[in-house]
Amino acid sequence: MIEGDDLRAMRVNAGISQDAMAKKLKCDRKTIINYELDVSDIRSKQLFLWFLYCKINAGSLLNEIKQIRDITNSKEKPNLQDEEP
């Protein structure tokens, strides 16, 4: 799980201010503060943009998700935990 401290560390390491990150993500600085203090959760789209702006390679995660999607799509019917056999 990525926490607010992680987001802050990535941002600071990339040399991006809270104001600049807010502009990049098209939100208020207060939203950035809330993410970094774990007051609110960052949306997935914004998280991946955060990675992009901080030059964090999320490629391996995206590749793993694609592999899971491909496996799931290749099965006739996925075995879901809440379904009766």
Side-chain angles (χ1 to χ4, degrees), residues 5-49:
D5 288 342
D6 302 321
L7 294 172
R8 181 182 181 285
M10 286 185 274
R11 179 184 57 73
V12 169
N13 186 61
I16 303 171
S17 69
Q18 288 178 332
D19 285 327
M21 185 60 84
K23 287 177 185 170
K24 290 175 182 298
L25 297 182
K26 298 179 180 155
C27 64
D28 290 339
R29 179 173 176 257
K30 183 67 177 164
T31 301
I32 300 302
I33 292 168
N34 286 341
Y35 291 157
E36 293 182 358
L37 293 176
D38 288 320
V39 172
S40 59
D41 292 328
I42 189 168
R43 293 181 177 153
S44 59
K45 182 177 180 178
Q46 288 183 318
L47 177 61
F48 282 100
L49 288 173

Side-chain angles (χ1 to χ4, degrees), residues 32-84:
I32 300 302
I33 292 168
N34 286 341
Y35 291 157
E36 293 182 358
L37 293 176
D38 288 320
V39 172
S40 59
D41 292 328
I42 189 168
R43 293 181 177 153
S44 59
K45 182 177 180 178
Q46 288 183 318
L47 177 61
F48 282 100
L49 288 173
W50 195 292
F51 290 158
L52 177 70
Y53 297 132
C54 293
K55 298 181 177 18
I56 303 295
N57 184 354
S60 60
L61 173 62
L62 294 174
N63 284 336
E64 188 171 345
I65 293 169
K66 183 184 180 306
Q67 289 174 354
I68 292 168
R69 183 188 66 219
D70 291 346
I71 290 168
T72 302
N73 289 341
S74 70
K75 295 179 181 178
E76 287 186 21
K77 182 181 176 192
N79 184 14
L80 302 178
Q81 292 180 2
D82 60 346
E83 291 183 355
E84 296 291 324

